[in-house]
Amino acid sequence: MNYLDFEKPIVELENKIAELSQLTLADDDVLSPELEHLRKRVDELRTSIFSNLTRWQRVQLARHPDRPYTLDYIYKITEDFIELHGDRYYSDDKAIVGGIGSIDGQSVMIMGHQKGRDTKARQYRRFGMPNPDGYRKALRLMKTAEKFNLPIITLLDTPGAFPGLEAEERGQAEAIARNLREMADLKVPVVTIVIGEGASGGALGIGMGNEVYMMENTWYSVISPESCSSILWKTWDYKEQAALALKLTAQDLNELGVIDGIIEEPLGGAHRDHDKAAESVKAYIQKSLKKLLKLSPAKLRTERIEKYSKMGSFIEEQEQVVSDTNKTA
Amino acid sequence: MSWFKRKGSNIRTETPKEMPEGIWVKVPKTGEAVHRRELEDNNWVDSASGYHFPIGSKEYFSILFDHNEYTEIAGNIKPSDPLEFEDRKKYSTRLEETQKKTGLDEAARVATGKVKNQDMVIACMDFRFIGGSMGSVVGEKLARAIDYAREHEYPLMIISQSGGARMMESVLSLMQMAKTSSKLALLNEAGVPYISLMTNPTTGGVTASYAMLGDFNIAEPEALIGFAGPRVIRQTIGRDLPEGFQTSEYLLEHGFLDFIVPRTRLKSKVAKLVQLVLNKNNSKNR
C-alpha cells in the first residue's frame, strides 16, 4: 500500500486499529470501546483532512500510484470489452488504450490514457505519455464509432504527450491538432472524464467531449505545476505555489465553467475503493449518455463546436463587457 | 567598426528579440553589419546569408497587403486576468508592462485586405508579446478571423510565432486550442482555403492546434517548429539532438510541411497558391 505524506496519520491509525482488532475477542469489555473510539477518530480525521485539501494535495492524489487507471475503470464499467489496437500507420501505442464494450446494453467506444502499476508496466505504458501513434489510434477508434453510430467515452490521465525525439519526428503536434478538429466534427455523443492527471494538449488531444467531467481529486491545466514553476520561477521548488496559481482542480474548473460537473470519489480518494470509484464514474456516464443520445447527429456536432467556441475570458471594448466562459446547461 | 551603433547583438534564432534599433544591424548568423534600410527593403531578410530577422504583425501586414492597406478586425478584444494569476509578478502587471513596451494590446492581430488584388483575412501573432503565447484574447481574435473568412469566403492565412499556450490563463489557454480547432472545423466544411505559415518559433499548443491544421502548412526557412521544446526533449532522451532537429527543413523532410518559402517570396507565392486553389489563375494574372 502506497500512501502520501498527508495520508500518514490516517494510515497509522488504521494500522493501530488492525493490530488491536487482531488482539480482541468478540466481546472484550476493555478493548471494544477503545476500538470503537479509534474507528470514530479515523473517520473524523479522514473527513477533516479530505475536506481541506490544498491544490497541491489534489495533484498528489491525482497521481496516487494506487489510483484506478483507465483499464481498471473500463473492466469495472463495461461488459464484454474487446480491446482494439493500432493506428494503422505505424504502431500500437501503449499509452492510449481503447476498444468496444457495453454499458448496460449500450455499446460504446471507450478509450483513455493508460499508466502502468509497477516499474516495468510504467515503462511499457510510457508513464501514460502517448506518442502520435496513440492519438492516431484514438482518432481511428472514434471514426469507427461514428461510422457505427456508437457513443464515445474518453478517460483522461496523462502527465502530457511524450516529449521525445520520435514523437516529434512523427508529428506529435499534427496528431493532437488533427484530433481536436476531428473531434469537434464528430456526429456521435462524446463524454470525457478526467480520472487522474489532465496535462495540457496531451490530455485535450482525446478530451473534446460534449460533456466533460472531472473526478474530485484530479487536475487539468495547460501545464503541470512543476513545469510551470521551472519556467516562471526558474526553479522546480515552487510547485505548490504554481498549483495554487494555476487553479487546476475540479472545483476550480467547475467554477470557471470549463467542465460540466465533478464526480465525487469515495472518502480518502478513488484509490481507497476502486469499485466505488468506478460506480460513480459509471453513473455519470449513464446520466450523460441518456441526455446526449436524444440529440441528433447534427446537433451533437453543433453543440460541441459552440461549447468550445465560448471558452475564454476577455474584455470586449466599446461595450465594456467581460465575456466569461459560459457553462453549457 | 566602433562607430557603428549596435544594440541587441546577442540575437539567437531560438529566442527572437525585437528588431534592434539603429542604422546598422548585426546579422546574428554571420556577425556582419547591414544597413537597416537595405534590410527593410528586403522584408527583413539579410540578402547575403538569408537570415530572417524576427518581425511582427505590423511588418507582416506591410509585406503582404497591397499598398499596406488593411482593416483590422477584433481590435477591441483586450486581455483580462481571469484567474488573478501571480507568479513572481502579477499577470495584470505583466500585461500592462508588455503593452507599454510593445505598443501592442495582445499577442495577435487580425486584418483583412487585398493581397495581389485578392481579398484575404490574415491573422498574425506577435512573439514580442509574452512570447507570442496564446491566451483567451489570441483564441478569440483567431476565432473571429476564422468566422470572418468563412462568412466572406475570403482565404485565411494565420502567421504563427509562439512559445505555446499562455500559462497565466491556465486551462482557459488550453481551451483556446479546442476553440480555434472547432472554428477551423467549420471553415473546413465551408471549403474556404486556410494557409498556415509557421515562423520562428512555433511550438507547444499553437503547433498542436491551428498551426498544423492548414490546408497548406508552410514555413519560413530555418524556423524552430515543434510540440515540445528542444530543452525538454534533450532532458527526456538524455542525449544531444540531431543537427537541424525541429527546423522547417526537418519538418518538410518528415512530411509535415507543403513547402518552405523565404520571406522575400512570401507574398508572390501565397498569392499564386490562392489563385490556383480558387481556380482564378487566368492569363491576366500570370
Side-chain angles (χ1 to χ4, degrees):
Chain A
M1 178 86 195
N2 299 286
Y3 53 88
L4 304 165
D5 275 352
F6 61 89
E7 289 181 298
K8 240 179 206 165
I10 301 171
V11 176
E12 275 165 11
L13 259 183
E14 280 177 342
N15 289 345
K16 209 165 166 189
I17 293 170
E19 263 174 50
L20 271 180
S21 26
Q22 276 185 348
L23 295 172
T24 320
L25 296 168
D27 278 313
D28 189 315
D29 288 346
V30 190
L31 285 177
S32 283
E34 175 71 3
L35 259 177
E36 195 58 35
H37 173 69
L38 281 176
R39 284 205 183 95
K40 223 177 129 190
R41 262 196 60 198
V42 83
D43 280 345
E44 281 165 9
L45 192 61
R46 199 180 282 127
T47 309
S48 90
I49 289 176
F50 276 81
S51 56
N52 288 302
L53 291 171
T54 66
R55 290 193 173 99
W56 174 245
Q57 285 172 329
R58 299 264 188 208
V59 172
Q60 289 175 291
L61 280 173
R63 294 170 178 166
H64 201 291
D66 295 327
R67 234 185 129 76
Y69 295 146
T70 290
L71 282 173
D72 300 318
Y73 283 114
I74 289 180
Y75 283 116
K76 285 185 194 297
I77 288 169
T78 64
E79 294 131 48
D80 303 324
F81 175 71
I82 299 173
E83 191 176 344
L84 303 169
H85 295 273
D87 67 348
R88 299 295 186 271
Y89 295 113
Y90 186 80
S91 78
D92 178 50
D93 194 76
K94 305 296 189 286
I96 288 184
V97 295
I100 192 166
S102 168
I103 299 179
D104 278 351
Q106 168 67 56
S107 293
V108 296
M109 194 64 88
I110 183 165
M111 64 196 77
H113 305 97
Q114 180 65 36
K115 291 179 175 175
R117 195 67 68 193
D118 56 39
T119 310
K120 215 172 151 188
R122 277 186 202 120
Q123 279 174 349
Y124 180 71
R125 299 293 180 186
R126 216 177 303 103
F127 303 88
M129 296 187 281
N131 268 334
D133 329 322
Y135 295 104
R136 291 178 182 133
K137 168 165 79 173
L139 182 59
R140 184 179 73 82
L141 298 188
M142 290 186 220
K143 287 294 195 185
T144 307
E146 187 179 41
K147 178 174 175 180
F148 298 109
N149 200 25
L150 300 175
I152 297 163
I153 318 289
T154 66
L155 306 177
L156 312 191
D157 187 14
T158 180
F162 189 64
L165 201 131
E166 289 188 0
E168 295 290 319
E169 199 170 24
R170 295 203 292 277
Q172 188 73 285
E174 192 275 344
I176 293 172
R178 179 175 299 272
N179 276 22
L180 300 183
R181 193 186 66 195
E182 295 295 321
M183 284 191 87
D185 254 338
L186 288 168
K187 291 174 186 69
V188 290
V190 183
V191 181
T192 296
I193 297 168
V194 184
I195 58 164
E197 301 188 85
S200 200
L204 183 64
I206 58 166
M208 284 186 55
N210 288 82
E211 293 200 332
V212 180
Y213 296 94
M214 281 174 82
M215 296 192 74
E216 208 179 325
N217 299 309
T218 62
W219 66 274
Y220 197 4
S221 159
V222 73
I223 192 165
S224 73
E226 288 91 338
S227 303
C228 180
S229 163
S230 88
I231 296 171
L232 292 180
W233 279 270
K234 318 276 178 205
T235 148
W236 296 91
D237 302 338
Y238 289 81
K239 51 186 192 278
E240 292 179 45
Q241 265 142 294
L244 203 65
L246 284 167
K247 302 224 163 88
L248 40 55
T249 65
Q251 288 76 5
D252 293 326
L253 270 75
N254 201 40
E255 276 166 33
L256 285 166
V258 171
I259 57 167
D260 298 278
I262 302 170
I263 301 177
E264 56 286 356
E265 294 183 16
L267 189 62
H271 58 288
R272 299 304 298 261
D273 192 339
H274 285 204
D275 286 333
K276 222 169 157 188
E279 268 172 42
S280 293
V281 169
K282 186 176 176 176
Y284 270 85
I285 292 174
Q286 285 171 313
K287 203 173 82 181
S288 185
L289 282 184
K290 202 176 162 193
K291 198 178 345 168
L292 295 174
L293 281 167
K294 285 184 190 140
L295 303 178
S296 71
K299 184 112 178 140
L300 283 164
R301 172 179 179 264
T302 315
E303 283 201 349
R304 196 182 307 110
I305 288 177
E306 278 169 9
K307 175 192 181 90
Y308 291 100
S309 296
K310 282 181 198 152
M311 296 279 178
S313 173
F314 50 82
I315 297 162
E316 186 158 9
E317 276 183 0
Q318 285 170 342
E319 299 147 17
Q320 295 286 341
V321 180
V322 180
S323 163
D324 262 304
T325 310
N326 290 313
K327 230 182 135 169
T328 44
Chain B
M1 307 271 269
S2 58
W3 59 86
F4 292 143
K5 191 183 168 194
R6 285 179 298 185
K7 265 174 89 180
S9 53
N10 284 330
I11 295 177
R12 284 175 303 151
T13 47
E14 295 92 332
T15 49
K17 302 239 168 65
E18 292 170 54
M19 272 294 291
E21 283 175 24
I23 304 168
W24 292 92
V25 183
K26 191 174 170 181
V27 182
K29 203 173 168 182
T30 58
E32 302 277 323
V34 286
H35 200 278
R36 191 181 176 83
R37 173 82 58 76
E38 194 188 312
L39 261 186
E40 283 179 10
D41 290 347
N42 203 38
N43 295 350
W44 295 272
V45 177
D46 174 39
S47 46
S49 66
Y51 176 78
H52 284 54
F53 279 86
I55 55 170
S57 56
K58 183 169 163 263
E59 290 81 11
Y60 275 109
F61 288 166
S62 80
I63 290 170
L64 287 159
F65 286 118
D66 298 346
H67 320 296
N68 198 17
E69 282 171 14
Y70 55 87
T71 311
E72 194 160 343
I73 300 168
N76 58 334
I77 306 298
K78 305 283 161 75
S80 64
D81 178 12
L83 304 184
E84 294 171 352
F85 190 94
E86 186 172 357
D87 49 270
R88 292 181 304 170
K89 204 185 260 184
K90 278 188 177 168
Y91 176 42
S92 51
T93 314
R94 204 183 282 268
L95 281 172
E96 270 173 40
E97 286 175 1
T98 313
Q99 284 169 337
K100 221 167 156 190
K101 197 181 86 191
T102 60
L104 297 162
D105 287 331
E106 252 290 348
R109 283 168 72 215
V110 180
T112 180
K114 291 195 190 295
V115 178
K116 295 225 168 181
N117 241 3
Q118 165 67 49
D119 280 304
M120 279 188 75
V121 175
I122 302 177
C124 184
M125 305 190 72
D126 278 291
F127 191 83
R128 289 191 300 149
F129 199 98
I130 317 186
S133 54
M134 170 180 56
S136 297
V137 172
V138 171
E140 179 66 16
K141 284 191 170 195
L142 293 181
R144 291 188 189 207
I146 298 165
D147 282 348
Y148 194 94
R150 182 168 50 85
E151 283 155 15
H152 293 79
E153 295 187 3
Y154 292 167
L156 169 74
M157 174 150 133
I158 299 180
I159 303 169
S160 295
Q161 42 178 299
S162 172
R166 187 174 298 168
M167 278 176 281
M168 300 82 165
E169 293 181 30
S170 193
V171 75
L172 294 177
S173 298
L174 180 65
M175 289 302 144
Q176 303 313 306
M177 294 170 67
K179 177 173 180 165
T180 51
S181 305
S182 293
K183 289 291 187 186
L184 285 172
L186 295 175
L187 189 75
N188 192 44
E189 183 193 34
V192 174
Y194 163 39
I195 299 168
S196 167
L197 172 67
M198 290 169 251
T199 73
N200 188 45
T202 301
T203 59
V206 168
T207 324
S209 58
Y210 53 87
M212 274 292 165
L213 290 174
D215 296 303
F216 310 97
N217 292 337
I218 66 178
E220 286 188 350
E222 295 178 38
L224 171 76
I225 303 166
F227 179 65
R231 193 170 47 93
V232 179
I233 301 169
R234 213 177 291 126
Q235 275 169 8
T236 310
I237 62 172
R239 61 188 153 92
D240 281 340
L241 300 170
E243 182 99 9
F245 181 65
Q246 291 187 313
T247 57
S248 311
E249 292 71 19
Y250 175 93
L251 264 83
L252 182 72
E253 196 52 39
H254 285 86
F256 293 100
L257 294 178
D258 287 288
F259 55 82
I260 294 169
V261 60
R263 204 184 284 154
T264 43
R265 290 180 50 220
L266 177 64
K267 180 170 178 173
S268 58
K269 193 140 183 187
V270 165
K272 182 57 75 185
L273 176 62
V274 168
Q275 276 178 12
L276 287 165
V277 173
L278 298 178
N279 198 17
K280 284 183 180 172
N281 193 39
N282 55 39
S283 54
K284 207 174 70 191
N285 292 329
R286 223 167 265 162

